[in-house]
Amino acid sequence: MTKPEIPTTPPESAAVSAPPIQTAPEPIQTSTPLSEPIQSTLSTSVDASPAGIDALSTPTTTVVDALDPLTVSTTQLAALASYDYSHLFSWFWPSGLFLRIFSATQHIIQDNLHITAPLLVITVAVLIPRIPLSVLQFRAQRATARFLPYQDEWAELMKKLTHAKAENDTYTHNKVAMRMMDIKNKTQFNPLAALPPAIGLMFFGIGSFLGLGRLVIYHREVVEMGGAGPLAYPGGLFGTGILENLTEFSPALLVALTAITWWNVRRSGMDAPKFTKWQARLPALLPPVTLVFGVIAHFSSAQMMIAMISISYNIVQSYLLRNSAIRKLLDLESVPLGDPKSVEFTPFISAWRESWKDFIAWNLSRANDAMEIERRKQLQVLRLRRATGTATKEDLKMLENPVESKPASPQ
């Protein structure tokens, strides 16, 4: 008895009545590779507006619970290197922290004020960390004002302390250290007072600039997928069409950034209690460097705008601190300010020529100091040999007629 054959293909009637098989849509192809946070949002929505940067902070599904701590740390660091800001370490990473601040600010402004203005979001995101850092700056300035009368003496004491350590001169070392301690007690000087605001400014400055660079890449990817993007600015600035595309390079913005950089370094020199030669040269040195570097790097309009907003904050603060009522309110009356009328800036060509000469002289000074320290160490060894009776005739001759170190000369 033979078994009936099982048909391998359905009959025509079954093929007609059967519902069509649903196939998954083709993945969206873009000209640039998608980052992990953006890839994870493709199954839900391609429109990033008004959520904006939320996709960058959406955690992806992982199995880190079953991994050991070392593997977990390695996974987090790998995500950090791949610009995935959904991980734990992004809270301590400059650009990741800025993206979180930007995302929260964008939600508040769009949900409560119903305003779609990325420049407003960028401005508020800059002010959030800058205002607390300004308070720390004022504290550091008050501490510096107390120490200012002893600044030159402190520099000389530091040189003496370095030579005393090199020569193993305990008496001079202790004497200089006691004088430095006396200055610290009189002025309540804290050498680390200026570090928190300086580190904070550097942290948020670099983070905001790099974070916006990452945000520009994300915006372009979302636009390619048909979305609006977090930096969408319909109509541009006040509906004029200016800065409507914040992801492109703008020569006009670069010129404006160079000009405002020149203005800022001039104001910084005027406010300095002690006007130095480098502050006199900076208006001729820094703006050309900014212009050339901007042309080479081709920064986006968003990145140049955030730099201009940060610099504008410094300029406004400089003018406000000239007001006697504000200085009294902030307890900055003891902090000296330079006289703008007595400030004289170095011309462009002279500034570059003198800076090059100072650079060569600084290198020669370092070489001469190293040679002098080495000569003193050799003399110390020779004295020790003579004291222990192990010195040779050549050693004694060198002690009687010590050879002075020859200063280094430019090549």
Side-chain angles (χ1 to χ4, degrees), residues 7-258:
T8 58
T9 59
E12 294 183 2
S13 59
V16 172
S17 61
I21 300 175
Q22 299 292 333
T23 59
E26 292 292 331
I28 300 175
Q29 301 293 333
T30 62
S31 58
T32 56
L34 299 178
S35 58
E36 185 174 333
I38 300 170
Q39 186 69 44
S40 65
T41 62
L42 291 181
S43 61
T44 56
S45 174
V46 296
D47 189 6
S49 179
I53 192 56
D54 271 356
L56 290 179
S57 58
T58 303
T60 55
T61 303
T62 58
V63 291
V64 295
D65 296 335
L67 302 178
D68 58 279
L70 179 60
T71 308
V72 172
S73 301
T74 306
T75 304
Q76 297 290 327
L77 287 174
L80 184 66
S82 65
Y83 293 107
D84 175 17
Y85 297 108
S86 64
H87 51 83
L88 175 63
F89 288 174
S90 66
W91 285 98
F92 312 100
W93 192 249
S95 51
L97 184 58
F98 172 78
L99 287 173
R100 294 180 184 275
I101 295 175
F102 183 95
S103 175
T105 305
Q106 189 176 53
H107 275 301
I108 293 173
I109 292 178
Q110 290 188 354
D111 294 344
N112 298 337
L113 303 179
H114 305 287
I115 297 176
T116 304
L119 283 183
L120 178 61
V121 178
I122 292 173
T123 303
V124 176
V126 169
L127 294 179
I128 288 175
R130 284 301 301 269
I131 293 176
L133 288 175
S134 293
V135 177
L136 295 179
Q137 277 184 305
F138 299 152
R139 293 182 59 184
Q141 288 175 2
R142 288 192 289 268
T144 303
R146 294 191 298 266
F147 175 73
L148 193 61
Y150 302 93
Q151 188 172 4
D152 295 336
E153 182 183 358
W154 187 270
E156 292 297 326
L157 291 174
M158 289 296 295
K159 291 181 180 180
K160 292 181 180 179
L161 192 67
T162 302
H163 288 301
K165 286 182 179 179
E167 297 178 355
N168 200 17
D169 188 349
T170 307
Y171 174 76
T172 304
H173 182 277
N174 293 339
K175 183 179 178 181
V176 172
M178 289 179 63
R179 175 55 183 164
M180 295 175 71
M181 187 62 65
D182 183 48
I183 294 176
K184 283 185 178 181
N185 294 334
K186 286 182 179 179
T187 61
Q188 298 180 355
F189 173 62
N190 182 9
L192 303 179
L195 280 182
I199 294 176
L201 288 173
M202 185 182 302
F203 182 90
F204 285 104
I206 296 175
S208 60
F209 196 82
L210 296 181
L212 263 183
R214 177 56 190 155
L215 197 62
V216 166
I217 297 175
Y218 173 71
H219 176 89
R220 291 170 178 168
E221 293 174 343
V222 173
V223 169
E224 289 180 359
M225 293 184 291
L231 294 177
Y233 200 7
L237 186 63
F238 302 117
T240 60
I242 301 174
L243 298 178
E244 190 170 5
N245 190 348
L246 292 172
T247 63
E248 292 183 349
F249 170 75
S250 172
L253 269 186
L254 180 58
V255 173
L257 176 61
T258 304

